[in-house]
Amino acid sequence: MKNLTCVVVGGGYAGIHAVQAIRKAVKEGNMPEKLRLVLIDKQPYHLRKVLLFKPAAAQTGEITVPLEQLFPEGVELIEASVTSIASAGKRLQYQDAKGLTHALDYDILVLTVGSIVREPEPEQGGIALTGLEAAARIRAVWEGNLRQASIEPQAEERKRLMTIAIAGAGISGIETAAELAAGVRLDAEGFGLDPKDVNILLYNAQDRLFPQGPAKASRKLESLLAASGVTTVHQRKVLQEQDGLLSLSSGEKTPVGLCIWTLGTRPNPGLRKMGLPLTPDGFVPVDGSYRVQGAQGLYSIGDCARIIDPETGREDGKTCKEATPQAARLAKVIAADLNGQPAPLHKSYMDFFCIGLGPQQGLVWTRQWGLDLIITGKLGGRIRKMTWDMASLLK
Ligand SMILES: Cc1cc2nc3c(=O)[nH]c(=O)nc-3n(C[C@H](O)[C@H](O)[C@H](O)COP(=O)(O)OP(=O)(O)OC[C@H]3O[C@@H](n4cnc5c(N)ncnc54)[C@H](O)[C@@H]3O)c2cc1C
């Protein structure tokens, strides 16, 4: 077999697991020993995106891992943004950190450029938790509010400054609210303020939290959040935050010092410029073995791909717990394709969710043999941390 170049684009959860699984396949002799393995990412680090709430809630907590640390050998790392893919000629173009354009020929290309965080319109105000810079901005606004509250004579205004609204109560909104609840009360004490005056409001457009799970898990979540000082407000959409006033879909207006949007994700807009076929809503369509149709040697997994379970017709979710097994299966698919053997087919992941509820606390729900299993407290928190670490290849 000739020496091959395999390029993985994106060092997020799907990309780093793909690299690891491909290296394993090489070690096990299922792929050519001299495979040139290249990982390209815009950043020199893997961003632990699921922990973005940590730097928003506290100054501590590093949530990036240098790609060099994850792959000290055996992988060529390129810090650059892939701009186009000419699948017919098996060549991609990328722009490096200096803005220079380069071309790279590949035999196998794994596209894992992920998704981006959904943002409200600029006139809707507030700050969306989109990345590290937004997390730092949230932190700075909150500290500024506390500083002002510590010298504010009027109780009403002090209360407003110490009120935080989280708009969007998906798992990310829940985790952000819980982490803030733990961190910001300590901040208030640090400014000589009464921590009981901190008010955290979690706005949920639906009528219960965590609709992916059973109603009893939703109730448990809400009561654990309440115990940590988060008030959940159901059936309310936040429309806008302007001049310290939150406008809600119900017509109500609530004074707040800070509004954080956690609205989920949308497809990576960069995909539209790459020259690949996309679904109308902007995902890469793949077959049951993650192959991009009509483009030999091109595969896609993770948040950027539309993946359907061939057996059930169910579309795969876009979370780390989906991306990780996809990556392991993909390496087997590539090996099978190279060896002219039948490739494994995608299978949906079991029902399993972990939700962090502040430092060392969490809720885990899984359904096994038709039974709901819910674990909370420190054990829930330990399982949560373990899944976060495994997703980022940290032991
Ligand atoms: C705030 C938040 C909280 C979340 N919480 C959870 C959770 O608790 N549990 C869970 O399972 N999932 C959670 N998710 C979803 C989870 O983060 C995604 O499913 C996961 O990140 C998908 O992995 P990925 O590798 O496909 O994409 P990403 O992790 O988005 O990685 C994509 C990578 O591609 C790189 N990239 C993008 N474009 C280019 C380009 N043109 N050239 C080169 N590199 C490029 C990016 O820099 C990035 O490193 C959360 C998401 C968010 C935003």
Side-chain angles (χ1 to χ4, degrees):
M1 205 181 278
K2 76 168 181 118
N3 292 342
L4 300 177
T5 298
C6 174
V7 181
V8 176
V9 183
Y13 297 95
I16 60 171
H17 281 269
V19 168
Q20 193 197 40
I22 291 166
R23 293 192 72 201
K24 185 164 171 257
V26 171
K27 266 194 202 133
E28 289 171 350
N30 298 324
M31 283 196 209
E33 203 188 325
K34 287 201 172 152
L35 184 96
R36 178 186 175 205
L37 185 52
V38 183
L39 173 60
I40 307 183
D41 198 291
K42 301 202 254 210
Q43 297 145 348
Y45 52 76
H46 160 71
L47 173 65
R48 304 181 73 194
K49 206 167 159 177
V50 303
L51 296 179
L52 268 175
F53 58 80
K54 280 196 183 281
Q59 271 160 340
T60 54
E62 181 53 71
I63 64 158
T64 62
V65 188
L67 289 168
E68 245 172 34
Q69 179 188 320
L70 289 179
F71 305 112
E73 57 180 37
V75 184
E76 245 174 82
L77 301 172
I78 300 181
E79 184 186 337
S81 194
V82 170
T83 49
S84 71
I85 296 167
S87 55
K90 290 193 162 184
R91 170 173 283 204
L92 62 79
Q93 283 205 326
Y94 65 82
Q95 209 169 55
D96 67 18
K98 292 184 187 137
L100 299 173
T101 299
H102 308 259
L104 178 64
D105 291 326
Y106 64 83
D107 299 285
I108 302 154
L109 178 59
V110 178
L111 190 62
T112 71
V113 291
S115 55
I116 62 164
V117 173
R118 198 175 285 281
E119 288 185 73
E121 296 300 323
E123 64 273 14
Q124 287 179 274
I127 306 174
L129 189 51
T130 50
L132 290 172
E133 192 264 333
R137 213 145 30 94
I138 288 168
R139 182 80 206 144
V141 170
W142 171 244
E143 283 181 358
N145 284 356
L146 285 183
R147 198 163 297 118
Q148 226 178 304
S150 67
I151 51 165
E152 173 57 52
Q154 288 194 6
E156 278 287 283
E157 177 58 4
R158 224 173 26 245
K159 192 174 164 211
R160 181 190 74 77
L161 288 164
M162 293 172 75
T163 298
I164 302 176
I166 318 284
I171 293 178
S172 168
I174 294 171
E175 291 187 326
T176 304
E179 192 81 11
L180 283 169
V184 294
R185 291 199 162 80
L186 290 177
D187 296 335
E189 272 181 322
F191 278 88
L193 292 157
D194 185 348
K196 287 198 220 72
D197 289 344
V198 176
N199 195 12
I200 299 174
L201 303 167
L202 175 64
Y203 287 99
N204 181 23
Q206 312 201 33
D207 56 5
R208 69 169 169 107
L209 295 173
F210 188 44
Q212 304 94 320
K216 69 174 172 188
S218 308
R219 286 195 296 272
K220 187 83 200 159
L221 265 176
E222 190 169 338
S223 72
L224 290 169
L225 282 171
S228 70
V230 176
T231 306
T232 307
V233 186
H234 295 293
Q235 292 182 316
R236 295 285 190 287
K237 265 191 179 171
V238 174
L239 301 179
Q240 189 184 44
E241 185 272 319
Q242 197 178 28
D243 302 328
L245 213 53
L246 204 68
S247 306
L248 303 175
S249 51
S250 57
E252 293 155 277
K253 299 225 187 251
T254 305
V256 295
L258 171 64
C259 169
I260 303 168
W261 300 91
T262 55
L263 298 175
T265 58
R266 68 182 182 91
N268 185 333
L271 282 169
R272 292 233 177 254
K273 299 175 201 142
M274 281 187 197
L276 295 175
L278 295 182
T279 62
D281 46 357
F283 295 103
V284 182
V286 294
D287 72 6
S289 296
Y290 315 131
R291 305 180 191 99
V292 181
Q293 289 304 281
Q296 225 215 334
L298 178 54
Y299 303 84
S300 186
I301 55 167
D303 276 16
C304 65
R306 163 141 305 146
I307 295 169
I308 312 279
D309 183 328
E311 205 175 290
T312 61
R314 189 170 136 184
E315 185 176 335
D316 226 26
K318 302 208 181 296
T319 73
C320 301
K321 71 179 190 306
E322 267 94 10
T324 308
Q326 286 166 14
R329 193 175 296 112
L330 175 63
K332 295 195 175 102
V333 168
I334 297 173
D337 285 353
L338 288 175
N339 297 315
Q341 290 164 353
L345 287 175
H346 173 75
K347 243 182 180 335
S348 304
Y349 195 70
M350 64 174 172
D351 286 327
F352 177 82
F353 281 88
C354 289
I355 303 174
L357 290 172
Q360 294 167 23
Q361 298 290 318
L363 179 141
V364 177
W365 165 73
T366 182
R367 183 174 286 142
Q368 293 294 328
W369 308 288
L371 295 175
D372 289 314
L373 179 68
I374 298 174
I375 302 168
T376 55
K378 286 208 166 158
L379 180 57
R382 273 207 294 277
I383 298 173
R384 187 53 176 135
K385 181 174 181 315
M386 198 176 74
T387 59
W388 278 329
D389 288 351
M390 279 164 55
S392 292
L393 296 179
L394 302 172
K395 295 270 156 49

